[in-house]
């Protein structure tokens, strides 16, 4: 799966969640970006095998995160252009404070 295809999956997942589609569907959609098979080196070194698997996981996960960030940034910019009473950065700061308070 290409980086663009993975980013499209991320945007589709967000769109589905906002549209009220069940979380099982969204989980399945996002699960499609995770490899189901891995190429591992012919070695007895578990660290080398772990690094090989991690390398193969990092690319799709990075593309997924990039897709989510791209979608968020696009929506946030469109929202901020409407001259809202509370801009996106203030909403994010309030969310961060809320999370910080709840973990104490």
């Amino acid at each position: 799966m290409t980086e663009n295809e993975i980013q499209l999956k991320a945007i589709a997942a967000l769109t589905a969640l906002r549209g009220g589609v069940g979380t099982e569907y969204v989980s399945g959609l996002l699960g499609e970006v995770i490899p189901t098979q891995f190429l591992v080196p012919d070695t007895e070194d578990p660290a080398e095998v772990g690094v090989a698997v991690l390398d193969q996981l990092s690319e799709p996960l990075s593309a997924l995160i990039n897709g989510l960030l791209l979608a968020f940034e696009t929506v946030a910019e469109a929202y901020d252009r409407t001259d809202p009473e509370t801009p996106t950065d203030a909403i994010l700061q309030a969310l961060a404070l809320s999370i910080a308070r709840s973990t104490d």
Side-chain angles (χ1 to χ4, degrees):
M1 189 173 290
T2 68
E3 184 173 342
N4 284 349
E5 291 170 329
I6 293 171
Q7 289 179 351
L8 288 172
K9 293 273 185 189
I11 294 167
L14 290 173
T15 304
L17 281 174
R18 294 293 299 160
V21 173
T23 56
E24 280 186 34
Y25 175 80
V26 173
S27 292
L29 192 62
L30 295 177
E32 292 175 11
V33 306
I34 305 300
T36 57
Q37 297 180 357
F38 298 93
L39 297 174
V40 294
D42 186 16
T43 179
E44 292 183 20
D45 182 8
E48 194 174 336
V49 171
V51 167
V53 170
L54 184 60
D55 285 345
Q56 293 169 66
L57 278 173
S58 66
E59 282 187 38
L61 291 177
S62 178
L64 185 64
I65 291 167
N66 285 338
L68 293 170
L69 289 172
L70 174 64
F72 170 78
E73 185 64 28
T74 301
V75 171
E77 286 178 4
Y79 172 77
D80 286 339
R81 281 195 302 271
T82 66
D83 199 24
E85 188 173 308
T86 307
T88 304
D89 58 341
I91 294 170
L92 292 172
Q93 289 169 354
L95 175 61
L97 288 172
S98 175
I99 291 170
R101 286 185 190 119
S102 69
T103 59
D104 289 341

